[in-house]
Amino acid sequence: SMATYNKFESFVGALGLGYHGNLNTNQVNVGLYNDDPRATDDVLLDESTPQTGSGYTAGGADTTNTYAEAAGTGSLVGTKVVWTAGAADWITVRYVVCYNLNTTTITNGLIGWWDYGAGGFTLGNGETFSVKFNGSETTGNILTLA
């Protein structure tokens, strides 16, 4: 199911202050969580209840992101991320949190999150979960700045 993108308010400030550096070369990750992100959160440590389970690495996965501008609109583009549960030991997942591993002054600066709805979901052994940006099967916009 499609989830709605929400920005962390601090991203706007941190971007203007240069904390996010170069979004074309910095590593932008997505991680899985089950706590309620707050729009006012600043850094990844503000998020609790990270996913655990076989087939999931703490901190999530690299979106293999790029950033470019065309006709006055900047696009942060990411490549689809897929996790496969290696056992039926996953906790419930509700949120996908996007953050920058290479921020300066702040550590792991938050960018945005997607909410997959009340109750979330749990993967059984061998089941997969994909994060598709803008619904794309390959690469799509994580966010645009216009």
Side-chain angles (χ1 to χ4, degrees), residues 7-64:
K7 73 177 175 190
F8 287 103
E9 293 170 2
S10 63
F11 174 68
V12 176
L15 191 65
L17 294 172
Y19 298 167
H20 281 271
N22 186 336
L23 289 175
N24 190 52
T25 57
N26 287 0
Q27 182 175 330
V28 172
N29 270 21
V30 285
L32 305 179
Y33 289 81
N34 194 32
D35 72 315
D36 192 5
R38 297 172 306 270
T40 54
D41 289 347
D42 298 313
V43 295
L44 193 62
L45 278 177
D46 291 338
E47 306 312 308
S48 58
T49 323
Q51 174 59 40
T52 58
S54 303
Y56 182 83
T57 302
D62 187 352
T63 64
T64 321

Side-chain angles (χ1 to χ4, degrees), residues 60-134:
D62 187 352
T63 64
T64 321
N65 53 287
T66 58
Y67 184 87
E69 173 271 333
T73 298
S75 297
L76 179 61
V77 173
T79 302
K80 177 177 78 170
V81 171
V82 181
W83 285 283
T84 302
D89 60 354
W90 280 48
I91 64 168
T92 299
V93 176
R94 177 167 175 178
Y95 304 98
V96 172
V97 174
C98 182
Y99 68 98
N100 185 346
L101 259 70
N102 304 123
T103 42
T104 60
T105 307
I106 58 175
T107 302
N108 296 331
L110 296 173
I111 295 173
W113 81 92
W114 294 265
D115 183 349
Y116 281 80
F121 61 89
T122 305
L123 296 187
N125 188 19
E127 292 183 329
T128 62
F129 172 68
S130 300
V131 177
K132 301 174 186 177
F133 303 108
N134 209 22

